[in-house]
Amino acid sequence: MIKMKKLEIVTTFYPVYDFTKNIVGDVANVKLMIPAASELHYYEPSAKDMAKAHDADAFVYHNENMKT
């Protein structure tokens, strides 16, 4: 039996993390880039944050196409 490596996914803020986690379930490791208690409008990603997003298999973020 071949054991596949889980996908690594980085998301921006909590609602996007929760949405992604509910979609992928246990198939991937989903990580949150912006800490839950942070003020989103003033958050500036560090070089380490950018490296995590770059090295991930997928980066999920909110944009104008995700309106309800």
Side-chain angles (χ1 to χ4, degrees):
M1 183 172 159
I2 298 173
K3 185 171 182 175
M4 298 199 49
K5 180 183 165 234
K6 285 187 173 185
L7 293 173
E8 296 293 326
I9 301 174
V10 173
T11 63
T12 50
F13 62 108
Y14 187 78
V16 176
Y17 166 86
D18 188 49
F19 170 81
T20 304
K21 189 72 177 155
N22 281 298
I23 297 295
V24 301
D26 293 332
V27 176
N29 293 321
V30 182
K31 296 179 182 168
L32 183 61
M33 179 184 279
I34 303 172
S38 295
E39 171 55 49
L40 299 177
H41 297 99
Y42 300 109
Y43 176 78
E44 297 232 5
S46 66
K48 192 174 189 177
D49 291 332
M50 296 302 291
K52 285 180 189 176
H54 178 269
D55 293 342
D57 296 305
F59 178 61
V60 183
Y61 60 96
H62 179 272
N63 70 26
E64 67 276 355
N65 296 320
M66 297 178 85
K67 293 179 182 177
T68 57

